[in-house]
Amino acid sequence: MTASDDGKPCSLTRFLIEEQRAGRIGPDLRLLIEVVARACKRISITVGKGALGGVLGDAGGAQGASINIQGEAQKKLDVLSNEILLEANAWGGHLAALASEEMDHSQPIPDVYPRGNYLLLFDPLDGSSNIDVNVSVGTIFSVLRSPEGVDRPGDEHFLQPGTAQVAAGYCVYGPQTTLVLTVGHGTHAFTLDREIGSFTLTTRGIRIPEETKEFAVNMSNQRFWEPPMQRYVGDLLAGKEGPRGKDFNMRWVASMVADVHRIMTRGGIFSYPLDSKCAPKGGKLRLMYEANPMAFLVEQAGGAASTGRQRMLEVQPTGLHQRVPVFLGSKREVEEAVRYHAEG
Ligand code: AHM
Ligand code: MG
């Protein structure tokens, strides 16, 4: 357990107050993070009910499946988690607008509530394909500043590169519920103490090992990858006898939050590269809701994040739901993957 200065366990609330006193965040950002964390607790409880809460399965009714802007069938928990985050964040006065992977367009805060200076983006329930089989899923979020002088932000005001993020985090709903957060001064993990309902600091200043022998990728897409990716993974698989000179292990949960959390814990490289199936869309994972917040968290933990050809956080977004190829995790290994792409 990572204690406060007085030796007592450090709650998320106390951590944020100390960050505010140190001048690293203001009161509005503190409130925003508290509200998102509270929503994550509700999502954690809802996810944990499973079949008993009637929350498994697809959204939509007799009229057929409910399809989101991504063209994907929504699960009931996608919709519920989205509603929990929208409701929690509407009235606090800390936000100007919010955007979700599950909604076509961003939403300004309703006129009946005061409007703040921040923009919030989220993937309410990442890893949806794992919901019904009781495997870890999670929430990912990213916070940007609302541009000065804009009263009612629209989609275009969200199109800021990842370097402009002021905070990012994810909450993984697994055997433990863990919130991992950065406000630009390191990456920290808080475990939900289910008995008292409070997030408690359990790792201050996560450091991702620079070297790794573990990679995460959906190998079933191998034949659809571009030549640099084929060569890179081919060399990983060649192990000790190959050019990399060491054996690699592989993991693929198919929940980005869970795969990234493993990398935060023990290192590794996560990739969802371009393949000929997702190439027309630019990739599989979303820049604004998945790649950028994870890239910010990973860089703040000493790791690296790239599209394979460009530092992730420097990509200039062109659309709210834009997709990108993703390579992130242990610094040296991400640099290796980038090197294969630079060779063409
Ligand atoms: P989702 O946000 O609709 O759940 O999709 C994103 C997920 C990631 O969590 C995960 O890395 C990837 O999709 C898994 O894709 P695949 O099913 O192709 O392995
Ligand atoms: Mg997702």
Side-chain angles (χ1 to χ4, degrees):
M1 182 101 42
T2 302
S4 306
D5 292 344
D6 60 9
K8 300 225 169 80
C10 181
S11 64
L12 176 66
T13 300
R14 180 166 182 171
F15 175 88
L16 292 172
I17 286 172
E18 286 171 1
E19 289 295 291
Q20 187 180 336
R21 283 195 190 131
R24 292 198 273 265
I25 56 172
D28 281 5
L29 186 54
R30 173 163 72 87
L31 175 65
L32 190 163
I33 294 167
E34 290 252 33
V35 169
V36 171
R38 206 177 317 131
C40 289
K41 273 188 240 174
R42 281 197 59 193
I43 297 172
S44 175
I45 291 165
T46 311
V47 167
K49 288 192 169 129
L52 296 177
V55 296
L56 303 185
D58 295 336
Q63 300 86 355
S66 158
I67 306 292
N68 68 8
I69 178 74
Q70 320 287 338
E72 295 159 351
Q74 289 178 304
K75 297 281 182 189
K76 280 186 198 161
L77 272 169
D78 286 324
V79 175
L80 286 170
S81 305
N82 195 52
E83 283 168 1
I84 288 171
L85 279 157
L86 287 183
E87 196 282 326
N89 281 287
W91 42 267
H94 50 284
L95 284 181
L98 20 77
S100 163
E101 188 184 294
E102 300 297 335
M103 305 190 309
D104 298 12
H105 294 288
S106 60
Q107 280 190 5
I109 294 300
D111 290 334
V112 287
Y113 300 120
R115 233 172 251 147
N117 295 322
Y118 290 104
L119 305 176
L120 175 67
L121 300 103
F122 48 81
D123 178 356
L125 207 72
D126 180 64
S128 308
S129 71
N130 281 321
I131 292 172
D132 294 346
V133 293
N134 198 6
V135 170
S136 297
V137 289
T139 298
I140 311 172
F141 66 94
S142 163
V143 184
L144 297 165
R145 279 203 178 79
S146 186
E148 298 248 340
V150 175
D151 182 40
R152 272 179 83 85
D155 290 1
E156 67 278 19
H157 300 111
F158 284 80
L159 303 184
Q160 306 176 32
T163 47
Q165 292 174 104
V166 293
Y170 65 79
C171 189
V172 55
Y173 312 113
Q176 305 128 42
T177 289
T178 307
L179 180 74
V180 176
L181 173 72
T182 185
V183 294
H185 299 274
T187 297
H188 316 285
F190 302 82
T191 305
L192 181 62
D193 183 333
R194 292 186 167 125
E195 276 151 43
I196 56 171
S198 167
F199 280 107
T200 302
L201 182 64
T202 40
T203 312
R204 193 189 286 273
I206 293 174
R207 297 312 289 170
I208 300 173
E210 290 204 346
E211 312 269 354
T212 185
K213 291 177 162 188
E214 199 160 68
F215 68 101
V217 71
N218 183 341
M219 281 297 298
S220 71
N221 291 326
Q222 186 175 24
R223 70 188 188 283
F224 304 111
W225 292 337
E226 296 181 307
M229 185 65 185
Q230 300 272 4
R231 287 200 311 278
Y232 171 59
V233 173
D235 287 354
L236 298 183
L237 296 176
K240 262 200 190 99
E241 288 72 41
R244 300 298 308 277
K246 56 182 179 180
D247 289 335
F248 281 80
N249 190 18
M250 197 202 90
R251 287 285 184 276
W252 185 247
V253 183
S255 283
M256 188 189 197
V257 274
D259 281 310
V260 170
H261 194 62
R262 185 187 56 257
I263 288 168
M264 288 286 179
T265 311
R266 68 179 189 209
I269 181 166
F270 169 93
S271 69
Y272 211 113
L274 212 54
D275 63 46
S276 55
K277 290 185 298 176
C278 68
K281 292 179 174 170
K284 156 95 187 195
L285 298 176
R286 273 65 38 145
L287 174 65
M288 308 295 287
Y289 313 105
E290 294 166 326
N292 267 346
M294 291 307 200
F296 190 19
L297 288 158
V298 163
E299 281 201 4
Q300 285 294 315
S306 169
T307 64
R309 294 178 168 96
Q310 187 183 9
R311 181 183 170 215
M312 188 64 70
L313 295 180
E314 289 176 358
V315 174
Q316 176 57 52
T318 52
L320 204 51
H321 298 285
Q322 180 177 350
R323 297 176 189 243
V324 281
V326 175
F327 295 82
L328 58 79
S330 291
K331 200 160 187 274
R332 298 278 163 258
E333 199 52 45
V334 173
E335 286 166 359
E336 277 292 323
V338 168
R339 194 172 58 74
Y340 280 79
H341 284 77
E343 285 164 6

